[in-house]
Amino acid sequence: MEKKVKQQTKAVHAGDRKREGRYVPVSTPIHTAASFFYESMEKLDRVFGREEPGFSYARYDNPTNAALEELCAALESGHGALACSSGMAAVHIALLTALADRRKSVVAADALYGATVNLLMNVLEPLGVAVRFVDICDLPAAKAAIAEAKPGCVLMETASNPLLRVGEIERVAELATAVGAALLVDNTFATPLLVRPIELGAHLVVHSLTKFLAGHGDALGGVVVSDAAHYDTLRALSRTFGPVLGPFESYLAMRGIKTFAVRVERQCANACRVASWLKDQPEVGRVYFPGDPAHPDAAAIRRQFPEGLYGGIVSFELANAGRNEVFRFMNALKLVVPATSLGDVHSMMLYPAMSSHREISPKHRERMGISDGLVRLSVGIEAVEDIIHDLGQALENSGVAGASA
Ligand SMILES: *Cc1c(COP(=O)(O)O)cnc(C)c1O
């Protein structure tokens, strides 16, 4: 396949249709073998020594994962990829890869996925990694923090969770590179249909495959996509501690990715409609959506996101609401699924204070701008009228509407 084809084309072709003996399967099979052998010991020796491409042991590599990794690397314009057992396993090994030959210091965006904050503060910091948080959308502040800390790694998300702040990847990459740091971008929310951080100067990209890429709420997985400079370290670490994806999930992820571009286009269009409807509802306070012209990072969004494709996530506050009102509202939903996760074909709603940001102290949450009335909606591919109708009836039937009237 030619490199210059578009994302929609890569999604259905990259990685697949490798010759296996006398035939070529149209889709990649699930290879469950834990180990592999060849016609001679000499060849197996060369494969083990990585003098020759091939598979030897499933913790190192397997053909199903290799196909998925080729697909993810193609979509993210990377040199290579590693399929991991979860998004968090991917974040973890990507951080270790970035820090392997560098100062054990991370400058991280202050608005990150909850488990990532937890990993930094409760796992890496006690192990001796210095961690400093900064508002990555405030470039002068980011510049000062990076110049001062001289970190080994800078970590940010393309669109932060759940408030959807968007930093300038290209500028941050320059700042990181200037001090010899690697820039690691969690691109889960934007997907490589919208933004490809490696093209903007990032060194490593991670995804929770569980979300938009696999897209059907039936497989947990993650992936690290790497530039050429970090790829060997990434694979060497993985061979040592084995955070790899199993072949069944790998198959599901790859099957899901084939339709990700179509799904995400639809989710983006639906999210635009839902966000503008929400803005008109008196029971709804602030609406957080990257397509909003009044978004605080509108300039960065215009530069990085394609017109009309602002992601499938809309966060919003119920006016004057706390935990009880939010629970009543979410209990009243009939179509939108009140469950953790995002990016699935079906719409889902999550309460950050209870789930994704539960492990963070209420005070820290408040500083992050995550109020007790905030919910995060992942807009699915349903008919948008049905999504809006469900939100409307839930506002009405939960009494939240009456409360503010
Ligand atoms: C879900 C998520 C993760 C973690 O992925 P898992 O597959 O749940 O381990 C990391 N980053 C972001 C932005 C996510 O949304």
Side-chain angles (χ1 to χ4, degrees), residues 72-73 76-82 94 97-98 102 173 177 181-184 197-206 224-235:
C72 293
E76 282 288 3
S77 302
H79 172 81
L82 175 75
T97 300
R102 295 191 176 92
T177 306
L183 174 62
L184 165 57
I198 290 176
E199 291 178 4
L200 300 172
H203 304 88
L204 294 154
V205 170
V206 294
V224 185
V225 182
S226 162
D227 64 3
H230 295 84
Y231 186 64
D232 290 344
T233 305
L234 173 67
R235 300 266 9 158

Side-chain angles (χ1 to χ4, degrees), residues 4 29 144 161 172 219 223 227 271 275 293 309 313 405:
K4 62 176 190 295
N161 178 24
V172 177
V223 69
D227 64 3
L309 297 177
I313 310 291

Side-chain angles (χ1 to χ4, degrees), residues 85-91 112-116 157 159-161 186-189 206-211 219-222 341-342 376:
S85 55
S86 70
M88 286 317 300
V91 173
L112 288 174
Y113 184 67
T116 304
E157 295 174 0
S160 75
N161 178 24
D186 184 334
N187 198 28
T188 299
F189 272 45
V206 294
H207 280 276
S208 169
L209 289 172
T210 320
K211 314 293 170 56
L220 188 78
S341 198
L342 61 112
R376 186 193 76 194

